[in-house]
Amino acid sequence: MTIDTAPATAHDGPRTALVVGATGIAGSALVEKLTADGWPVLALSRRPGAARDGVRWLPADLTSAEAVAAALAPEHPTHVFFTAWSRQDTEEENISVNAGMVRDLLLALRGKGIAHVALMTGLKHYLGPFEAYAAGEMADTPFHEEEPRLPVRNFYYAQEDELFAAAAEQGFTWSVHRAHTVIGHAVGNAMNMGLTLAVQASLCRESGEPFVFPGSETQWNGLTDMTDAGLLAEHMVWASTTGAAADEAFNIVNGDVFRWRWMWPQLADYFGVSWEGFDQAPRPLEQAMAGREAQWAELAERHGLVEPALDRVASWWHTDGDLGRDIEVVTDMGKSRVAGFTGYRRTVDAFIGLFERYRAEHLIP
């Protein structure tokens, strides 16, 4: 890539951010980051989130082109941060729905002078979609952005293609942000390992069970990395306002690597529970935590927790998928470093800080 220190866009006036998927893990972190930096924020989601200075909520169903167009008709954002997705039963449906959401949103913004659009995707760019996850021939780790697309249908590719086409037509710059297992603050999210592990540990402590690592031997012993939602937000805002990041795709991870056999005991220590590592075979959470709804509801009532519904705070299937992989997943951040991004998080500190926030907000006991 060519390094350029000029502004990412020709936009010189006031900036207004549109955060799409504003109640999710990445979207919530973006809203916090942007408002802290003084940006006015338009927050688009199916349901409005909590009131916040500098934020105006735009409730809309992203799968309805008409609803999106109506919500955005009077608005004139300058920078767009797209973090939403909708899980479907098949990859073809994922492509239709998720690429359609990007296309419809950008159509609704046509003619409004958008300066930059940042799209969040993930490492399924390298690993393949859910239907063929880590099943074919993949690039060696660490993953680099220059790797060609896999020869499979993938909704991330379809989203990128919609972004590229709209950018060519409308004249805005773009960036793509490929994160790995994002941990952050959100409730009701379909992919939330941080809160899922906190709930698992809380249930284990309540019932006197050990905190059992649910994944594969490869994940227990091998190197891996993760993405803190706050760092992802920093990365997306940086790319949207930096010339070196215009029209580029970037990996975004914390910058450290770890082994779960090192991390797991530290998480157990935080919750004051005994632990067990990998033992002969994976022990998936979807099975081990099945039927715990009443236990969580009772625990929530006794401790005054704000969310008594277990399926709103734990996504067992997603954590099983990440920790059950039988491959090493490590991500290169060199491209961002060369372009000038120096953000970093120590993953164990990101976990502990997140758990402290969950406790302060009465999500876990």
Side-chain angles (χ1 to χ4, degrees):
M1 61 181 285
T2 300
I3 302 303
D4 175 18
T5 57
T9 74
H11 179 80
D12 295 321
R15 296 167 172 165
T16 298
L18 172 63
V19 178
V20 184
T23 57
I25 295 178
S28 297
L30 272 163
V31 170
E32 291 184 5
K33 166 67 176 170
L34 289 160
T35 54
D37 288 351
W39 291 59
V41 174
L42 303 170
L44 182 64
S45 63
R46 186 183 296 269
R47 288 175 292 275
R52 187 185 186 95
D53 289 345
V55 178
R56 188 149 51 82
W57 289 93
L58 306 177
D61 179 356
L62 277 169
T63 64
S64 167
E66 295 77 12
V68 170
L72 293 176
E75 310 299 344
H76 289 82
T78 59
H79 294 70
V80 178
F81 302 88
F82 195 101
T83 69
W85 84 292
S86 177
R87 187 188 184 199
Q88 305 298 309
D89 290 337
T90 69
E91 192 59 20
E92 286 305 317
E93 291 175 292
N94 276 329
I95 290 169
S96 176
V97 171
N98 290 283
M101 291 194 301
V102 174
R103 180 176 61 253
D104 293 340
L105 180 107
L106 296 178
L107 278 172
L109 295 171
R110 187 162 56 184
K112 292 179 179 283
I114 298 298
H116 187 92
V117 177
L119 171 67
M120 174 192 170
T121 63
L123 295 197
K124 286 189 289 296
H125 185 95
Y126 309 108
L127 294 166
F130 286 121
E131 290 180 2
Y133 192 59
E137 185 173 342
M138 293 169 294
D140 283 339
T141 56
F143 293 131
H144 298 85
E145 294 91 340
E146 296 79 11
E147 296 295 340
R149 290 179 175 182
L150 299 174
V152 294
R153 299 273 286 165
N154 189 322
F155 83 84
Y156 283 165
Y157 304 162
Q159 286 184 311
E160 286 184 345
D161 289 344
E162 295 292 349
L163 174 67
F164 302 156
E169 178 191 353
Q170 299 179 38
F172 57 76
T173 57
W174 55 265
S175 55
V176 174
H177 304 260
R178 299 171 185 161
H180 181 200
T181 310
V182 180
I183 58 170
H185 182 273
V187 177
N189 187 273
M191 300 192 299
N192 192 343
M193 181 187 285
L195 188 51
T196 296
L197 293 183
V199 169
Q200 177 196 358
S202 298
L203 288 169
C204 289
R205 185 179 59 202
E206 186 73 12
S207 56
E209 301 171 55
F211 182 50
V212 174
F213 179 76
S216 69
E217 184 175 15
T218 300
Q219 290 301 306
W220 180 249
N221 291 317
L223 289 172
T224 192
D225 51 29
M226 296 183 74
T227 306
D228 177 79
L231 185 70
L232 172 59
E234 291 176 17
H235 194 252
M236 294 181 78
V237 174
W238 163 80
S240 298
T241 55
T242 303
D247 301 334
E248 297 285 352
F250 294 99
N251 296 329
I252 171 60
V253 289
N254 287 343
D256 67 345
V257 295
F258 64 92
R259 303 179 199 274
W260 279 107
R261 70 188 189 205
W262 174 84
M263 180 71 75
W264 202 255
Q266 298 189 72
L267 304 188
D269 285 347
Y270 175 84
F271 288 99
V273 292
S274 61
W275 60 272
E276 293 181 8
F278 176 83
D279 184 13
Q280 299 185 18
R283 291 177 277 181
L285 292 172
E286 275 203 301
Q287 298 169 20
M289 295 288 117
R292 303 289 186 115
E293 290 79 9
Q295 182 188 3
W296 179 259
E298 190 277 330
L299 184 152
E301 181 177 8
R302 182 154 37 87
H303 290 276
L305 304 184
V306 297
E307 185 50 74
L310 183 58
D311 63 358
R312 292 271 299 161
V313 292
S315 47
W316 309 127
W317 69 272
H318 175 257
T319 296
D320 283 341
D322 267 9
L323 297 184
R325 294 177 298 204
D326 201 23
I327 55 170
E328 178 186 75
V329 181
V330 182
T331 316
D332 181 75
M333 277 289 290
K335 185 176 179 182
S336 288
R337 303 300 183 222
V338 170
F341 183 77
T342 58
Y344 177 89
R345 295 288 190 279
R346 188 168 181 251
T347 302
V348 66
D349 295 337
F351 266 121
I352 300 306
L354 190 58
F355 297 155
E356 291 287 349
R357 182 172 176 183
Y358 289 153
R359 277 187 166 164
E361 298 187 7
H362 304 290
L363 282 166
I364 60 172

